Amino acid sequence: MDSSSSSSSPSPSAVAARAADAGRYTFSPKLRWQPEVEEYFAAAYGRDRFARISEALAHPSRYSCIRVNTLKSSTDAVMHKLMDLVCENGLCDGINGMEIVGGDQPHEKSSLVQKCPSADLENVLFVQGSGPHVLNYNSQPDQSVKEVIVSRKCAESVLRGAQVFVPGVLACSSHVEKGDKVAVSVAIEQPVKDGGWAVGITRGTVLQGLQSDVHYEERKGLYIGKGTAAMSRSGIFRVPHGIAVEMTERVYKLPSFNDVLEGEIFLQNLPSVVAAHVLDPQPGERILDMCAAPGGKTTAISILMRDKGEVVALDRSHNKVMDILKLASEMDLSCIKAYKLDALKSVRKTDEATNVGMGDSHCEAIKTLAEDSGPCHVTVDVRATNVNEESSTTVVQSVDDKNPESRRYVSKAELRKNLRRMKNGPGRNNCSGGRVEKSKGFFPNSFDRVLLDAPCSALGLRPRLFAGEETLESLKTHAKYQRRMFDQAVKLVRPGGVIVYSTCTINPGENEALVRYALDTYKFLSLVSQLPKVGGPGIVGSCELFNKTYTEEWLTEHEAELVQRCLTTANSWQGCQLSASCQVDDVCQVPSPKIILLDKSHGGEGTAALTP
């Protein structure tokens, strides 16, 4: 009896090993910063508050924010459809096969999908997720756990609900075959001798399940879930793309909305929705979205305008412009015009304006022959030879059916390019050959309202597992870039118009300091109040940087009340958002524009609106 009892009870070493495993196979990340950046943020927010922000940034939100396309459906109708999906799949499956919460009472189904508590955001719904969950990774104690190590960016996507794709896999246990259960952990950058940061793992590294494995200690507390290998180890490191691991258990369980109510809903962070509402676009107005991709705020603005008016969306990437057009098509929005254009070149040069005449304040897009979607005949000049000849000097004359007087000469290379696109046929968005229109910019005072969702350090996006790449110098560079864009926005908005400036960073230098720059540089701008206001005030005061050789000025107490900053916590559905509004003095006896600045990060995010 004693011997039987003794053989069934675990040894002290086994108990200690299990305790060690319990601490190892968890998700408890600690966000790492450059020391000078951490001190800077601690000075801005207070050390305790910044510690809470930093902790929250390392975790995904437990709420999914959905914006309803009110031109196609109503918020109540979408809410009932989502609840029906929950009922059909059962509470354990949630929407589209993903568990949302662990409740089992009928009344809890309605609590999974909730309306936004702000009356000014009637088109917003929240769908509840759950986490962090404690998972059992070692279901067979007599065998070592088979593992896959993924990159940080891959892990951040997995935490938001994605699968593990081949390019994201860095290392894998030996003898992993298709169908095997594997634990997924993440390798995060570590400090190196030269003062920088590096992962230090060669892709394809073999894991033995021993303490000598790469990043063995560093990966403690960085396990993000379990999954089933979709291919063998050799396949993972041989093929260029595809799903490597299908996640079956996750530390955060968030609903998937792939192919759910397509065209009726759009998954969008709350601060981004707020930015569109703060802009307050009206039907019939001309609106500019300066950095529009992927088009979430562009479509939100169009819906608020009831698809009446004109929304000009810009991005310097051809593929991103195509994404905007695709989203507009899915949501049946016709007032959106997307152009390929660098936001730093948004204002058309005055000498060009003089040449074409100043009678029309709207700039038409300049298109090449290959980009012209209308019918076009081509005639060959007497100097031209066969189109298929390899001659770069051959000239071809283009005649537009719509405007027979308009003629221009194009090279044979351009003509052959156009013929290849015609042969390939129309693209997914009925844009032949995936063409996008280019623009040379717009005349000053061309727009009623301008949204500048500026490229930034993105230090408010969550989940973020590493932040050590940013230095004080790089943060200052971001701010300079944003000021140049803001200068363009001020020129493009008409007197009496509105500029809304937004970022997805917690950096005061890209938020409050930008507002300070705007107010000090453009005396005709002044901050005004805004709706909706779901965040708190901005940051007051200033900070000395670079060994006290540079002072970064922020806001006064009065100005801080006119901006909004939504700082998130681990349990909050809010992002971080800063918003400010500026009114222009009526010097020229014209309506003064206003500026609203909004910081709209997930962990810290902001927006600002200015009115000249």
Side-chain angles (χ1 to χ4, degrees):
M1 183 71 175
D2 292 341
S3 63
S4 170
S5 168
S6 136
S7 62
S8 62
S9 61
S11 64
S13 60
V15 172
R18 290 181 185 177
D21 283 348
R24 176 175 183 77
Y25 296 111
T26 59
F27 184 67
S28 52
K30 178 176 175 57
L31 191 57
R32 304 184 73 166
W33 306 81
Q34 291 282 2
E36 67 271 18
V37 173
E38 188 168 2
E39 287 301 314
Y40 166 56
F41 287 152
Y45 291 100
R47 198 165 298 278
D48 290 342
R49 188 185 184 197
F50 175 64
R52 293 194 299 271
I53 294 171
S54 186
E55 180 183 1
L57 284 173
H59 297 263
S61 171
R62 290 207 291 261
Y63 287 84
S64 297
C65 179
I66 294 174
R67 174 170 56 81
V68 178
N69 182 355
T70 52
L71 299 182
K72 277 192 169 185
S73 187
S74 67
T75 304
D76 287 332
V78 167
M79 186 174 180
H80 285 108
K81 289 179 182 179
L82 292 176
M83 287 193 294
D84 288 342
L85 288 172
V86 173
C87 294
E88 289 172 10
N89 295 326
L91 281 176
C92 291
D93 293 328
I95 295 173
N96 210 11
M98 178 62 68
E99 179 184 348
I100 298 178
V101 295
D104 55 4
Q105 299 300 320
H107 72 273
E108 291 184 355
K109 297 176 182 178
S110 61
S111 67
L112 299 180
V113 185
Q114 304 171 9
K115 288 185 177 180
C116 179
S118 173
D120 297 310
L121 297 170
E122 296 179 347
N123 63 331
V124 173
L125 294 173
F126 294 108
V127 180
Q128 185 180 352
S130 61
H133 296 279
V134 178
L135 306 181
N136 179 17
Y137 290 89
N138 195 359
S139 56
Q140 297 177 318
D142 55 328
Q143 299 180 8
S144 60
V145 179
K146 292 185 177 182
E147 296 190 35
V148 167
I149 302 178
V150 300
S151 67
R152 170 176 56 88
K153 289 188 178 295
C154 175
E156 290 169 351
S157 297
V158 170
L159 288 170
R160 291 193 296 266
Q163 305 291 356
V164 175
F165 287 86
V166 165
V169 179
L170 298 179
C172 179
S173 295
S174 58
H175 309 301
V176 168
E177 299 295 335
K178 181 178 180 180
D180 285 353
K181 301 294 183 183
V182 294
V184 181
S185 61
V186 52
I188 295 178
E189 290 85 341
Q190 302 295 324
V192 293
K193 292 181 180 179
D194 63 359
W197 303 81
V199 174
I201 295 180
T202 302
R203 190 169 189 271
T205 297
V206 178
L207 302 177
Q208 303 292 348
L210 304 174
Q211 293 188 15
S212 58
D213 283 344
V214 292
H215 278 233
Y216 184 84
E217 288 299 326
E218 291 84 351
R219 288 184 287 117
K220 182 178 180 180
L222 291 176
Y223 283 77
I224 60 175
K226 297 168 61 177
T228 302
M231 55 183 73
S232 66
R233 174 193 157 80
S234 60
I236 290 174
F237 296 111
R238 186 174 65 245
V239 300
H241 50 75
I243 294 178
V245 179
E246 293 182 353
M247 299 299 294
T248 55
E249 296 182 58
R250 302 169 184 265
V251 291
Y252 279 92
K253 299 178 181 179
L254 306 174
S256 170
F257 294 94
N258 291 332
D259 302 321
V260 174
L261 304 182
E262 188 172 325
E264 292 185 59
I265 64 173
F266 184 76
L267 195 62
Q268 189 171 26
N269 296 315
L270 178 66
S272 296
V273 181
V274 171
H277 279 266
V278 166
L279 186 65
D280 194 26
Q282 300 299 313
E285 290 185 330
R286 193 175 194 229
I287 311 294
L288 174 64
D289 189 351
M290 289 183 68
C291 304
K297 285 180 286 294
T298 306
T299 54
I301 291 168
S302 303
I303 292 171
L304 290 174
M305 296 170 63
R306 312 300 299 173
D307 203 23
K308 297 176 181 177
E310 181 183 7
V311 180
V312 176
L314 308 179
D315 201 278
R316 64 181 182 180
S317 164
H318 175 282
N319 291 339
K320 289 183 178 181
V321 174
M322 291 297 298
D323 290 341
I324 296 169
L325 294 173
K326 178 185 175 184
L327 182 59
S329 176
E330 287 178 356
M331 306 193 86
D332 290 336
L333 298 171
S334 59
C335 72
I336 295 174
K337 294 184 179 179
Y339 300 110
K340 180 182 177 182
L341 178 65
D342 187 342
L344 292 175
K345 302 176 182 177
S346 301
V347 180
R348 194 166 187 177
K349 295 180 180 179
T350 53
D351 56 343
E352 292 182 10
T354 304
N355 292 336
V356 299
M358 294 295 292
D360 183 9
S361 63
H362 300 321
C363 170
E364 295 296 332
I366 307 301
K367 297 182 252 183
T368 65
L369 172 62
E371 293 158 348
D372 191 353
S373 58
C376 179
H377 291 311
V378 177
T379 62
V380 182
D381 190 270
V382 292
R383 293 168 291 169
T385 55
N386 190 305
V387 170
N388 293 320
E389 292 179 6
E390 293 297 332
S391 169
S392 59
T393 59
T394 302
V395 227
V396 186
Q397 191 180 62
S398 162
V399 183
D400 192 340
D401 284 346
K402 297 179 181 178
N403 186 7
E405 300 301 323
S406 173
R407 296 169 179 266
R408 72 181 183 87
Y409 290 93
V410 293
S411 68
K412 282 176 52 182
E414 187 176 358
L415 177 60
R416 287 195 298 271
K417 185 178 180 181
N418 186 49
L419 293 175
R420 285 196 299 270
R421 285 177 172 173
M422 292 172 62
K423 184 178 179 180
N424 290 337
R428 296 177 62 184
N429 300 312
N430 294 321
C431 298
S432 298
R435 291 173 273 174
V436 299
E437 295 183 4
K438 295 181 181 178
S439 172
K440 285 191 175 180
F442 305 90
F443 296 135
N445 307 326
S446 294
F447 296 94
D448 298 294
R449 301 170 196 265
V450 175
L451 172 62
L452 174 54
D453 186 35
C456 65
S457 57
L459 292 177
L461 296 179
R462 57 187 296 212
R464 171 178 283 274
L465 300 178
F466 177 72
E469 72 273 19
E470 291 291 352
T471 64
L472 287 180
E473 193 61 47
S474 67
L475 293 179
K476 188 176 180 181
T477 300
H478 288 303
K480 289 179 180 178
Y481 188 64
Q482 291 150 0
R483 290 182 182 189
R484 291 173 59 197
M485 286 193 173
F486 190 84
D487 294 338
Q488 297 277 302
V490 172
K491 295 175 183 178
L492 290 171
V493 70
R494 67 166 176 79
V498 175
I499 303 172
V500 169
Y501 170 83
S502 62
T503 71
C504 56
T505 181
I506 63 172
N507 177 22
E510 299 173 71
N511 292 316
E512 284 85 353
L514 186 282
V515 181
R516 178 81 279 134
Y517 165 79
L519 297 177
D520 292 346
T521 305
Y522 302 101
K523 300 299 182 180
F524 50 87
L525 297 178
S526 59
L527 290 173
V528 299
S529 58
Q530 57 184 288
L531 286 174
K533 190 164 186 178
V534 299
I539 299 176
V540 175
S542 62
C543 183
E544 293 182 337
L545 303 171
F546 304 107
N547 295 322
K548 299 184 179 181
T549 60
Y550 171 75
T551 300
E552 184 176 271
E553 298 288 345
W554 297 329
L555 303 177
T556 66
E557 290 187 5
H558 172 69
E559 292 165 346
E561 292 298 327
L562 295 173
V563 306
Q564 57 174 324
R565 178 184 280 276
C566 306
L567 291 174
T568 190
T569 64
N571 301 321
S572 170
W573 47 259
Q574 293 181 345
C576 170
Q577 174 166 341
L578 164 69
S579 167
S581 173
C582 191
Q583 186 84 34
V584 175
D585 293 335
D586 193 6
V587 201
C588 303
Q589 299 184 358
V590 291
S592 300
K594 71 178 177 184
I595 175 171
I596 301 169
L597 296 109
L598 172 65
D599 172 10
K600 53 177 188 56
S601 322
H602 300 198
E605 186 167 324
T607 325
L610 294 120
T611 307

